[in-house]
């Protein structure tokens, strides 16, 4: 498996894990499933890129777009996470931690995509 498709697969697995932990840490809500759904889609793009090398650029660009959506959609959880780190309280601490983890994981994939793109140029 190539480097970037493998990263997409692992990014997806980690996002599914974040979603699973969020559901276990609080009650089942539709928003707790968002990282898992996002992770499933990104992982599927990694599998698709691995199975059809001719379509790898398309699959990785879709995975990048999904990662950017996850990154931008979860940015609002960062202030709550910082509040938690400072010892404060927030209304939904599990959601704040899940959003921060989603930002961190998606940012890692986006940065790796940029590094791979720069190497090819």
């Amino acid at each position: 498996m190539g480097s970037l498709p493998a990263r997409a697969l692992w990014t997806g697995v980690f996002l599914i894990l974040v979603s699973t932990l969020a559901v276990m840490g609080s009650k089942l809500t539709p928003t707790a499933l968002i990282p898992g759904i996002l992770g499933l889609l990104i992982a599927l793009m990694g599998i698709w890129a691995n199975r059809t090398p001719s379509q790898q650029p398309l699959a990785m660009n879709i995975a990048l777009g999904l990662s950017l959506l996850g990154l931008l959609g979860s940015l609002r959880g960062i202030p709550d996470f910082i509040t938690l780190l400072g010892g404060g309280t927030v209304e939904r601490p599990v959601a704040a931690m899940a959003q921060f983890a989603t930002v961190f994981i998606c940012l890692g994939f986006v940065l790796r995509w940029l590094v791979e793109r720069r190497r090819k140029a």
Side-chain angles (χ1 to χ4, degrees):
M1 188 181 275
S3 177
L4 206 51
R7 295 275 181 177
L9 182 61
W10 280 109
T11 298
V13 168
F14 287 136
L15 288 171
I16 292 169
L17 181 63
V18 166
S19 184
T20 303
L21 293 174
V23 169
M24 290 171 57
S26 65
K27 59 184 178 183
L28 177 62
T29 61
T31 56
L33 298 176
I34 292 173
I37 294 168
L38 184 68
L40 177 63
L41 293 173
I42 293 171
L44 288 174
M45 292 302 108
I47 293 169
W48 179 28
N50 187 43
R51 295 204 180 204
T52 54
S54 64
Q55 296 179 343
Q56 180 177 344
L58 175 62
M60 291 299 93
N61 285 336
I62 293 172
L64 172 69
L66 291 168
S67 293
L68 286 171
L69 283 175
L71 176 69
L72 295 174
S74 299
L75 282 176
R76 61 189 170 100
I78 292 178
D80 286 346
F81 185 75
I82 292 171
T83 301
L84 285 174
L85 286 178
T89 59
V90 295
E91 185 178 340
R92 297 179 357 225
V94 174
M97 290 185 277
Q99 286 175 337
F100 180 77
T102 301
V103 166
F104 185 72
I105 293 166
C106 288
L107 182 62
F109 181 76
V110 169
L111 292 176
R112 185 62 186 182
W113 185 91
L114 290 171
V115 166
E116 290 293 321
R117 193 66 130 162
R118 184 164 174 111
R119 281 186 188 165
K120 289 181 182 181

